[in-house]
Amino acid sequence: MKRFLIYILSILLLLIFLNWLVLKLNHPRKNYKQKVEKNSLYILGDSHALGFNPKYKEDDKTYNLSYGSDNLIDFKRKFDYLIEKEYLQRGDTLVLEVDLQVFSKYRLTSNNNDISGIYTNDFASIKNYYFPILGEVKVLNRKFLKTLISKKSEKKHNDLIKLNSKTDSIRIKNRYKLQFGKDFKLESEFLSILEEIVNQSQNKGIHIVAIHYPLHPYYLELLKEDHDINEMKGKIEKITSPFKFHDYSYRIQKDKYFKNQDHLNSEGKIVLREIFIQEITLDD
């Protein structure tokens, strides 16, 4: 019996140690849960909104809770968290991404639904986030083992867009097929969640600024070839009609401001920030 207990304890200690290593070195989404404090401006979105932190005043602090692959379900959980904790209150502003891809079928399968419940104390999400060793075997992959041995950081891939490159052109088209494709439509489940966020915000006196982030002109052309994007945007704008709606899809055109087909680089985000602050000030 004693030997059996020692065996069980050894297994538990090994799992705890491996879980600690994963959290320390290779947690796939280790920065998902963010520390939040009271402020008057919050941002929800996916990777398009990352690094977008406009400030009205020098001493303001913007809380951007955006994360790559978040969908409307993830937005809603974070929104509920901000409401429950009384961070987001009457008179505050929520900058909400309403880009077309967050309403796509693609986002039904590629998202953070398995861990975003940590904002609402969902047990399964807490387990998946803080104990990844129990949830995903892929955290113990070759990259992780290589990190343990060498501890060398990976060289970052230069992802600047080059439309004259055949490789980049193919990559952009493949990205389009993945996110949209010819069968793309706005998923009703996501439209309903957007409506819930809008209705709750109206009832609580919270101001929403709905945003379409810039896309590279070439990527927009691919979209327009297959879909009536103005009609789709119109459906979204109708839901958010009680609030401000800013479509920046076409506002930034130059290659030098884009990291890839649907993400601005750091310079592009500065340009967008200046446009946003100027327009919001004029709206006020």
Side-chain angles (χ1 to χ4, degrees), residues 36-267:
V36 182
E37 295 177 7
K38 179 70 187 82
N39 200 45
S40 58
L41 181 67
Y42 299 89
I43 300 173
L44 293 179
D46 63 12
S47 57
H48 290 189
L50 289 174
F52 180 59
N53 294 302
K55 298 180 182 180
Y56 298 117
K57 300 174 185 176
E58 194 61 37
D59 58 344
D60 271 354
K61 187 168 184 180
T62 302
Y63 281 94
N64 190 334
L65 275 70
S66 304
Y67 201 88
S69 298
D70 266 5
N71 67 7
L72 264 295
I73 294 171
D74 302 314
F75 294 0
K76 183 63 165 59
R77 288 171 175 173
K78 293 176 180 180
F79 174 78
D80 289 342
Y81 166 80
L82 292 172
I83 296 292
E84 181 187 351
K85 298 297 183 181
E86 298 184 345
Y87 293 128
L88 194 55
Q89 299 179 358
R90 183 174 297 275
D92 292 342
T93 299
L94 174 66
V95 178
L96 183 66
E97 179 185 341
V98 290
D99 285 354
L100 293 178
Q101 87 280 347
V102 300
F103 298 92
S104 69
K105 185 178 180 180
Y106 166 68
R107 278 282 169 257
L108 287 172
T109 53
S110 178
N111 53 58
N112 294 303
N113 293 176
D114 61 322
I115 61 170
S116 60
I118 54 174
Y119 281 98
T120 54
N121 295 320
D122 173 69
F123 176 76
S125 290
I126 291 171
K127 175 182 72 68
N128 291 335
Y129 187 68
Y130 291 109
F131 301 96
I133 196 72
L134 300 178
E136 299 183 48
V137 177
K138 65 181 180 183
V139 296
L140 288 175
N141 54 23
R142 186 180 297 177
K143 177 185 171 184
F144 171 59
L145 296 175
K146 187 177 179 181
T147 303
L148 284 180
I149 296 169
S150 66
K151 294 187 178 181
K152 292 181 180 178
S153 59
E154 291 187 340
K155 185 178 180 181
K156 291 186 178 179
H157 173 60
N158 185 355
D159 205 23
L160 289 175
I161 196 165
K162 296 175 183 175
L163 289 182
N164 60 346
S165 162
K166 185 177 180 181
T167 302
D168 277 6
S169 179
I170 293 172
R171 178 174 57 82
I172 292 169
K173 288 178 180 177
N174 287 339
R175 178 68 173 171
Y176 169 74
K177 289 177 184 177
L178 178 67
Q179 282 194 316
F180 299 106
K182 293 184 181 296
D183 299 327
F184 169 64
K185 66 181 180 66
L186 303 176
E187 295 295 326
S188 58
E189 177 184 356
F190 293 147
L191 291 172
S192 297
I193 295 173
L194 176 63
E195 197 166 358
E196 286 180 36
I197 294 174
V198 168
N199 289 338
Q200 279 185 258
S201 296
Q202 270 191 293
N203 294 335
K204 293 183 177 294
I206 295 163
H207 306 298
I208 287 181
V209 179
I211 283 188
H212 280 305
Y213 286 90
L215 295 176
H216 192 277
Y218 180 68
Y219 204 55
L220 278 168
E221 286 304 313
L222 290 176
L223 256 173
K224 286 163 64 178
E225 283 177 12
D226 292 332
H227 307 286
D228 186 345
I229 61 175
N230 288 329
E231 180 186 351
M232 292 181 174
K233 289 179 180 180
K235 290 180 181 179
I236 297 169
E237 188 172 1
K238 185 177 180 181
I239 294 174
T240 61
S241 60
F243 299 105
K244 299 167 185 174
F245 184 91
H246 291 264
D247 186 355
Y248 296 122
S249 301
Y250 301 89
R251 290 297 296 275
I252 298 178
Q253 299 281 314
K254 295 181 180 179
D255 288 1
K256 69 176 184 177
Y257 294 129
F258 283 89
K259 179 181 179 182
N260 54 35
Q261 66 283 332
D262 57 338
H263 293 88
L264 294 171
N265 57 26
S266 56
E267 193 176 352

